[in-house]
Amino acid sequence: VMSVVVMFFAIIAALAGWWLARQRLTVKPWLEQGVIEGVPDFGASRDPAKRVGLGFLLAVVGSLFALLTGAYFMRRELGDWQPLPVPPILWFNTAMLLLSSIALEWAQRAVRRGSRTQLRLGLAAAAVFAVTFLAGQLLAWGELAASGYVVDGNPSNSFFYLVTGLHGLHILGGLAALGWASVKAWGRGGVESVRLNVELCATYWLFMLFVWMVLFSLLAGWASDFVAFCQQLLS
């Protein structure tokens, strides 16, 4: 169990390191040589702080789901654990979340090209796909409840509702940030004024897609098979 949690944290750390490297936050400006021209733009200095803030948020979220993953593997070892069937609609929901992330990547490219129309289309598509994902999760809950798999029916049921509910709440929070980016995109400001918002939303969405893929593998049983396979190799 601990090896699984450590592996999850290692992946999170690797992703965080790669992302920070992309943001040039590891650059040491005090070691740069040359003449500094002009007055520093203190307004732009807020951008790295926002990126670091998102990095800390993703670290906290990743730690939360890593602990839940460890709890899942420990709890399923007890005799009262009865796996519940995975609703087929989860495949559709996964596709919706993937398309939402792709739409945000498209919106990022639209910002670089300076295309306001494509930016707005990308943001709108990302929001529609994300809302569809959440609606599909609610349908999965209703399907399981109608089949008798209620929250207090079995520990596996409780785990399913817990992790999917927490993930859905994080998607809702991302939708709030996406809504703010959309307001700015439909405002009078230029495309560049929304660049940072779109970049942060795209990063957050990609991370939540990764978290969902891990959770989906747990719910479908693939993660358990993978861990068992690794244990056989190490034994």
Side-chain angles (χ1 to χ4, degrees):
V1 175
M2 288 302 299
S3 61
V4 175
V5 177
V6 170
M7 183 184 301
F8 197 104
F9 275 117
I11 294 174
I12 297 299
L15 289 174
W18 168 80
W19 180 72
L20 289 174
R22 286 188 60 191
Q23 310 308 317
R24 292 180 55 83
L25 295 178
T26 58
V27 174
K28 301 178 178 61
W30 57 87
L31 298 180
E32 299 291 335
Q33 297 181 358
V35 178
I36 301 177
E37 299 179 357
V39 179
D41 184 1
F42 292 101
S45 65
R46 294 193 302 268
D47 293 356
K50 293 178 181 178
R51 292 190 174 96
V52 171
L54 177 62
F56 277 111
L57 173 62
L58 298 186
V60 172
V61 174
S63 300
L64 171 63
F65 284 103
L67 293 173
L68 286 174
T69 300
Y72 167 84
F73 281 103
M74 289 188 291
R75 187 61 182 86
R76 77 183 180 94
E77 296 298 326
L78 300 182
D80 59 344
W81 183 273
Q82 298 178 2
L84 77 170
V86 176
I89 196 174
L90 292 187
W91 290 97
F92 173 79
N93 298 347
T94 302
M96 291 297 100
L97 191 58
L98 175 61
L99 289 174
S100 184
S101 182
I102 292 175
L104 277 173
E105 291 294 329
W106 184 36
Q108 278 198 95
R109 294 179 180 271
V111 171
R112 299 189 189 105
R113 292 191 298 265
S115 175
R116 182 184 293 272
T117 300
Q118 293 185 12
L119 168 62
R120 291 174 174 175
L121 287 175
L123 293 176
V128 170
F129 288 132
V131 171
T132 305
F133 169 81
L134 292 176
Q137 297 294 78
L138 291 177
L139 288 176
W141 282 14
E143 180 181 336
L144 288 173
S147 300
Y149 297 97
V150 293
V151 177
D152 57 352
N154 189 267
S156 63
N157 303 0
S158 302
F159 181 87
F160 177 89
Y161 289 106
L162 174 62
V163 297
T164 55
L166 281 176
H167 184 267
L169 288 176
H170 284 87
I171 293 295
L172 278 176
L175 278 173
L178 182 58
W180 174 242
S182 300
V183 169
K184 295 183 67 175
W186 262 268
R188 296 182 178 180
V191 174
E192 284 296 322
S193 65
V194 76
R195 175 188 289 270
L196 180 62
N197 299 80
V198 175
E199 289 180 357
L200 297 182
C201 285
T203 301
Y204 182 82
W205 241 248
L206 189 62
F207 183 83
M208 295 311 300
L209 174 62
F210 167 75
V211 170
W212 171 248
M213 295 302 294
V214 173
L215 296 178
F216 192 19
S217 66
L218 284 177
L219 299 175
W222 306 328
S224 301
D225 296 338
F226 176 74
V227 171
F229 175 73
C230 293
Q231 289 176 343
Q232 291 179 358
L233 291 179
L234 296 175
S235 61

